[in-house]
Structure formats: C-alpha cells, structure tokens
C-alpha cells in the first residue's frame, strides 16, 4: 500500500470537489457478454458465480483507481483488493463472505470454496472490515437495468460496489447486467469504462482459466491424430474420453468429424447433434453446423439439412461456406433458382470468404456428385 501525494495528483481538484458532496457515489450499469464463460462453466460443471467472481476481482485489481481508498484527508492505493461477497443461506437469508484474492485461478477457486463453506455455518453481519475490499453481490433472479447500494457514510465510504444480475439469451449470445458503483472523488467514468473494457476482454479470452484436465490432454492428442490422418486411432481415443465425460460438446464434435471422415455418416449424426445441444459456440459451432448439415444432405435428409442451414446462417450470416452447402441442399430439393441465385451472389461478393477455401475439397467432391447419397 502507498499513500497518494495529493499535491502532485492530477485529479486533486476533482477529488476535493466531489469529496464534499453529501452523495458522491455514482453507479453505471451495462451488459456484458458472458457467452463464452457460460459455456465454459456448463461444459466443465463449474460454478458460473465463482468463475465470474474471479474475473470481476482480477479486472478490478488491474484498475488502480478501484484500489484507491479515502482515509480522512489521506488517499491510499492498495497493492491488491479482495472480494467481500454475499452467500445465500436457508430461509432466503444471506451472509457476508470475505476471501483473499489469489491471482492464480486454481488458488482463488480453492480459497473461495473454503470461505463459502465457512460462511454457510454462521451468519456474521456488522463486523468492522478493512477498506481493502470490493463489495460484491449478485441478483440472479433479475435482469436489472439499474441498482443502488446502501452506504452508511457516503462521504467517506470509498469502497466500490459491484453487482450482476440474471443473464438472458439475445440471439446466440448470453448477456448479463453488471453494475459498478464508486466514489466520484476517486473514480471517474473513464475508469469505469476501462473496467468494462478489460472485463469483456477477459470474458472473450478466458485463457487463464484453462488449467488442462487429463481429458483435455487426451482431446489435444485426438485432434493431433485426426489432423495427421490417423482417424481410427483418433476415433477410439475420443470414444474412450466420452465414456469419462459424456457431456463434453467438444469431444462429441471431434468424434463426429472422425466418423464423417471415415465415411461413417450415420454414426456421426448423433454426435453432431449432441455437440450442438450441449452448447458449442463460436467457430466450433459453425463448423459443426456445416458438418451436420452436409451429413444430413449426404444421407438424403434434405429437409433436415435445409432447416439446419437456415438456422445456422441466421446465427452466422457472414460464413459463406454455410450458404454454399445450403445451395447444394436446395438443388437436391429441386429449388434450382434459389440455389443458383445464392451461388451467384457469393461469386459477385467483393470480398472472398476464407471459409469456402477451408472446405474447398469437400465442395469440389460434392460438386461432382450432387445427386449421390451415402449410407
């Protein structure tokens, strides 16, 4: 911890101005995209709350202004701040739980689990707490657009408050309201803006959460085998992994691709379908749509293929390969005008799409065998 030299502090005048207010706190609420984290939590059977708590606190520690605290006429900057959050107990009563922030994700998860377990044994309200905290709460029953927090002494209480609500599906994304309340003598809108920007970047990355489990090491090996053309070995490894983790969408997707490449289309279908139901996202989801739709078409299930491609294009309108495979399906359905029109539009596009290049060999094969089905 260090003390801020107020005489050299660029925001000294702002600090002196806002600290005199009777109600100097301001609150911002905005949505964050938690799609990737929601999928991560679901596929790994982990607590979304704990994962998001880690990201919230990690990001706050990256913003110096959210580590500033007022102590009388002194402003200090903590080296690190820690979460103090609410935990639900029986009879709709909550308890306060304080944990020590650990930068390493596994250490933080272990710390939070221990603290939460202790907090559920005895309700403690009103104890004096250090100011090196972030007050955090979640309201998972509401998709709120604003929220206010109680403060005992607004002029001198400089601990930020962070809250989040119920996430909702918007198209193919999962959005969630997040609120940040801070003392305006220490924090401006630009600092809160940086907080949201950094948090969203973390939500879009999640690389620091990826501590590889044994099945993930196995998945990496299966992908290597598949890409090297050792399809049967890859398939058998994936089937073994699925017996240990049958709800992993990535395992199902990779298994489906192996079956497809081996010419075992019927066996590929249930794995494609399960991968989608279990919550794939991003590029893996779009590629699985292409794989399943193409397999439906190859099996003569043209109506199923058309329905799937329509859904996929609605979610991924910029992936041209989906439109190519949809055009093939429409040809098989006798919709020649629609098929030709879609392909001409793609040819006239000023910017080529690299997704078509990725599926060049499959497209060329089917172009020579449009009326064939494979069973």
């Amino acid at each position: 911890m260090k003390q801020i030299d107020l005489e050299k502090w660029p925001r000294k005048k702002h600090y002196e101005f806002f600290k005199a207010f009777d109600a100097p706190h301001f609150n911002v609420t905005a949505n964050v995209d938690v799609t990737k984290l929601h999928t991560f939590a679901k596929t790994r059977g982990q607590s979304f709350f704990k994962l998001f708590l880690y990201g919230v606190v990690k990001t706050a520690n990256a913003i110096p202004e959210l580590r500033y605290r007022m102590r009388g006429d002194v402003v200090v900057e903590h080296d690190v701040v820690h979460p103090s959050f609410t935990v639900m107990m029986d009879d709709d009563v909550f308890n306060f739980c304080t944990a020590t922030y650990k930068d390493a994700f596994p250490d933080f998860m272990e710390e939070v689990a221990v603290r939460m377990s202790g907090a559920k044994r005895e309700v403690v309200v009103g104890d004096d707490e250090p100011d090196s905290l972030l007050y955090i709460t979640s309201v998972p029953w509401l998709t709120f657009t604003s929220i206010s927090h109680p403060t005992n002494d607004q002029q001198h209480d400089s601990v930020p408050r962070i809250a989040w609500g119920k996430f909702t599906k918007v198209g193919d994304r999962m959005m969630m309201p997040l609120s940040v309340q801070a003392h305006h003598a220490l924090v401006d809108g630009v600092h809160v803006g940086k907080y949201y920007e950094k948090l969203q970047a973390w939500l879009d990355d999640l690389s620091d959460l990826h501590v590889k489990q044994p099945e993930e090491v196995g998945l990496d090996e299966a992908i290597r085998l598949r890409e090297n053309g050792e399809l049967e070995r890859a398939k058998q490894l994936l089937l073994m992994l699925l017996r240990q983790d049958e709800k992993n969408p990535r395992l199902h997707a990779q298994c489906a691709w192996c079956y497809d490449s081996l010419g075992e289309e019927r066996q590929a279908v249930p794995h494609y379908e399960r991968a989608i139901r279990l919550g794939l996202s991003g590029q893996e989801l779009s590629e699985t749509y292409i794989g399943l739709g193409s397999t439906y078409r190859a099996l003569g299930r043209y109506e199923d293929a058309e329905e799937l491609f329509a859904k996929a294009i609605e979610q991924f309108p910029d992936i041209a390969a989906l439109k190519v495979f949809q055009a093939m399906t429409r040809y098989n359905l006798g919709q020649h005008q629609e098929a030709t029109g879609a392909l001409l539009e793609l040819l006239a596009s000023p910017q080529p799409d690299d997704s078509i290049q990725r599926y060049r060999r499959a497209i060329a094969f089917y172009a020579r065998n449009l009326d064939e089905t494979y069973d």
Side-chain angles (χ1 to χ4, degrees):
M1 181 181 68
K2 68 179 181 181
Q3 183 174 327
I4 301 298
D5 187 342
L6 298 180
E7 296 305 316
K8 296 181 180 179
W9 196 21
R11 62 173 292 109
K12 176 187 177 183
K13 291 183 178 180
H14 300 78
Y15 161 73
E16 292 175 341
F17 177 69
F18 285 113
K19 78 170 185 174
F21 279 35
D22 291 332
H25 286 241
F26 73 100
N27 191 309
V28 175
T29 300
N31 284 332
V32 289
D33 185 339
V34 296
T35 308
K36 191 170 182 178
L37 185 65
H38 179 263
T39 301
F40 184 97
K42 185 176 179 181
T43 56
R44 286 163 175 77
Q46 295 190 13
S47 164
F48 177 89
F49 172 84
K50 292 176 185 176
L51 294 171
F52 192 66
L53 178 68
Y54 173 71
V56 160
V57 182
K58 180 183 180 75
T59 306
N61 273 290
I63 307 293
E65 289 74 14
L66 295 181
R67 293 186 274 109
Y68 289 171
R69 300 293 184 267
M70 294 167 52
R71 294 181 174 177
D73 295 326
V74 172
V75 176
V76 299
E77 179 185 348
H78 287 289
D79 298 325
V80 62
V81 289
H82 311 278
S84 178
F85 52 94
T86 53
V87 177
M88 287 301 297
M89 303 179 71
D90 295 333
D91 301 320
D92 292 339
V93 173
F94 72 87
N95 196 12
F96 296 106
C97 180
T98 299
T100 301
Y101 172 67
K102 311 277 190 180
D103 190 57
F105 168 64
D107 295 341
F108 179 82
M109 293 292 276
E110 182 179 356
E111 163 73 5
V112 169
V114 170
R115 299 294 184 177
M116 288 181 71
S117 177
K120 289 181 178 180
R121 289 195 293 267
E122 181 184 2
V123 176
V124 179
V125 178
D127 282 3
D128 290 335
E129 293 182 319
D131 61 7
S132 58
L133 298 176
L134 298 164
Y135 294 148
I136 294 171
T137 190
S138 64
V139 190
W141 313 277
L142 296 171
T143 305
F144 58 76
T145 55
S146 67
I147 191 170
S148 62
H149 300 266
T151 51
N152 185 40
D153 181 2
Q154 287 207 54
Q155 280 190 312
H156 303 99
D157 184 344
S158 55
V159 176
R161 273 85 167 159
I162 300 174
W164 59 89
K166 178 181 180 180
F167 44 72
T168 56
K169 193 167 185 179
V170 180
D172 66 334
R173 315 307 296 168
M174 299 298 291
M175 308 300 293
M176 188 175 73
L178 176 74
S179 162
V180 179
Q181 178 173 309
H183 197 300
H184 212 347
L186 303 178
V187 181
D188 285 333
V190 63
H191 307 124
V192 174
K194 288 178 180 179
Y195 178 78
Y196 277 93
E197 185 178 276
K198 285 181 177 292
L199 180 60
Q200 189 60 64
W202 178 83
L203 288 164
D204 293 338
D205 179 48
L206 302 184
S207 58
D208 55 352
L209 301 186
H210 199 74
V211 180
K212 287 192 175 181
Q213 303 298 318
E215 63 268 20
E216 293 177 292
V217 175
L219 174 59
D220 289 344
E221 173 63 11
I223 292 173
R224 186 191 69 79
L225 289 170
R226 183 176 68 81
E227 291 177 346
N228 287 344
E230 299 180 66
L231 298 173
E232 187 61 38
R233 287 184 62 195
K235 183 185 78 174
Q236 293 303 324
L237 176 55
L238 288 162
L239 289 172
M240 182 191 73
L241 293 171
L242 278 169
R243 286 193 288 271
Q244 303 168 12
D245 187 10
E246 64 176 9
K247 293 185 178 181
N248 188 319
R250 298 189 68 210
L251 291 175
H252 281 287
Q254 291 290 335
C255 195
W257 292 332
C258 284
Y259 273 122
D260 239 351
S261 298
L262 288 164
E264 300 170 347
E265 286 85 359
R266 287 196 180 279
Q267 292 92 328
V269 168
H271 289 287
Y272 278 132
E273 293 174 336
R274 191 86 188 276
I276 293 169
R277 285 199 305 271
L278 287 171
L280 276 182
S281 62
Q283 183 175 337
E284 285 184 316
L285 176 59
S286 67
E287 291 178 348
T288 300
Y289 276 139
I290 291 173
L292 178 57
S294 177
T295 301
Y296 278 158
R297 196 194 71 82
L299 292 171
R301 295 173 58 177
Y302 303 132
E303 290 80 6
D304 290 335
E306 168 64 12
E307 181 180 350
L308 184 78
F309 283 131
K311 176 183 177 182
I313 290 168
E314 184 178 348
Q315 292 184 48
F316 301 99
D318 298 325
I319 297 182
L322 283 165
K323 299 174 183 178
V324 173
F325 283 98
Q326 184 188 50
M328 295 183 200
T329 303
R330 288 179 170 175
Y331 164 84
N332 294 122
L333 288 168
Q335 301 171 9
H336 300 144
Q337 182 175 349
E338 293 87 344
T340 303
L343 292 174
L344 289 174
E345 284 186 8
L346 290 172
L347 283 172
S349 174
Q351 294 183 334
D353 188 310
D354 62 357
S355 69
I356 295 178
Q357 181 62 26
R358 288 202 304 274
Y359 291 95
R360 179 180 59 82
R361 291 178 62 185
I363 292 170
F365 173 81
Y366 287 127
R368 297 189 296 271
N369 303 275
L370 281 171
D371 296 307
E372 296 293 329
T373 56
Y374 305 87
D375 195 348

